[in-house]
Amino acid sequence: MKRSLMHLFALPLLCGAALTHAASTVELTVSGLITPMACTPVFSGGGVIDFGKISRQDLNLTNGTRLPLKYLTLTVSCNAPGRFVLLMRDNRDGTAHVDSEIYYGLGLDNGGNKLGVYSLSFDPRQTVVDDLAVVYGTESTTGGVAWRTSNSNPINIGSRSLLGFTELEGSTAGPSAIKNLTSTVTLEAVINARQNLDLSAETRLDGSATLEVVYL
């Protein structure tokens, strides 16, 4: 009985194979472009921000506590003018208590609770690009397919959005070709509500992120 069933199920498969020829191979294409352009990003102070010691009693019980703003300078030096954007990757992914691509985590306390978040903001008005008199910011949330209309408003760098600069105001063409860029970056940190944290022992803020130059 089992042998008969096996033959019955096999017949349609054999008939189908005789009528159509299914492809037994598939092609893979690997492409890319190697560019002679090379850019080096550098944060002032080695990219280290230290808030020092923060008293437990200075933290809000039920709401987040904003720490004083910190500032650092980013320089991007390229061997030739070219179009590039900036992107940030959180090295403490999963520790931010606010779910947004512009917030990066400050690590966990001794009980595994999320300590807080920080963000980095770029202000075109505090950004110098080559010999341009004025610079405008733009960004893309579509991987460079479409660009936000360029303007002089500050932009928070995100982990999934491309951030660039151009000399054209009101443009949707994306970043301009740049050789040297210097920008004053504002860092804002917020500690989670005290009631959500285990602060029975000294707890170290442990934020870490990598800023990447992406060539277009």
Side-chain angles (χ1 to χ4, degrees):
M1 195 67 178
K2 289 182 179 178
R3 289 182 62 186
S4 298
L5 284 171
M6 288 178 66
H7 285 303
L8 284 171
F9 282 107
L11 273 172
L13 293 175
L14 291 173
C15 292
L19 296 175
T20 61
H21 298 281
S24 58
T25 62
V26 63
E27 292 187 0
L28 169 68
T29 300
V30 179
S31 63
L33 182 66
I34 298 176
T35 174
M37 182 182 178
C39 299
T40 302
V42 176
F43 273 125
S44 59
V48 176
I49 295 292
D50 187 0
F51 284 98
K53 286 198 173 184
I54 304 166
S55 173
R56 177 182 183 277
Q57 292 303 116
D58 291 336
L59 301 179
N60 297 323
L61 178 62
T62 58
N63 300 312
T65 302
R66 294 183 183 276
L67 300 183
L69 297 178
K70 296 286 187 176
Y71 303 93
L72 64 165
T73 300
L74 172 72
T75 59
V76 180
S77 303
C78 306
N79 61 352
R83 300 177 72 235
F84 66 82
V85 291
L86 304 176
L87 189 66
M88 189 90 112
R89 182 176 69 252
D90 193 355
N91 299 330
R92 300 293 182 264
D93 193 27
T95 70
H97 72 287
V98 179
D99 185 15
S100 171
E101 68 159 322
I102 67 169
Y103 290 119
Y104 305 88
L106 287 172
L108 305 174
D109 65 14
N110 296 323
N113 305 302
K114 299 175 181 180
L115 278 171
V117 296
Y118 64 97
S119 61
L120 289 179
S121 176
F122 287 76
D123 189 342
R125 292 166 294 188
Q126 298 185 51
T127 301
V128 177
V129 171
D130 296 330
D131 57 356
L132 299 179
V134 184
V135 177
Y136 304 96
T138 184
E139 64 179 339
S140 174
T141 59
T142 58
V145 176
W147 294 90
R148 189 193 74 176
T149 302
S150 59
N151 57 62
S152 58
N153 298 329
I155 308 175
N156 286 313
I157 187 168
S159 58
R160 298 185 298 275
S161 299
L162 306 178
L163 186 155
F165 298 91
T166 175
E167 80 274 20
L168 303 174
E169 184 179 13
S171 171
T172 57
S176 300
I178 294 172
K179 184 177 182 181
N180 296 299
L181 179 147
T182 302
S183 185
T184 299
V185 184
T186 302
L187 186 146
E188 182 177 3
V190 179
I191 305 298
N192 201 349
R194 195 174 78 212
Q195 65 181 8
N196 299 329
L197 301 174
D198 175 8
L199 303 176
S200 55
E202 284 197 348
T203 305
R204 184 168 67 96
L205 300 183
D206 187 31
S208 174
T210 300
L211 186 139
E212 181 180 359
V213 176
V214 180
Y215 306 105
L216 300 179

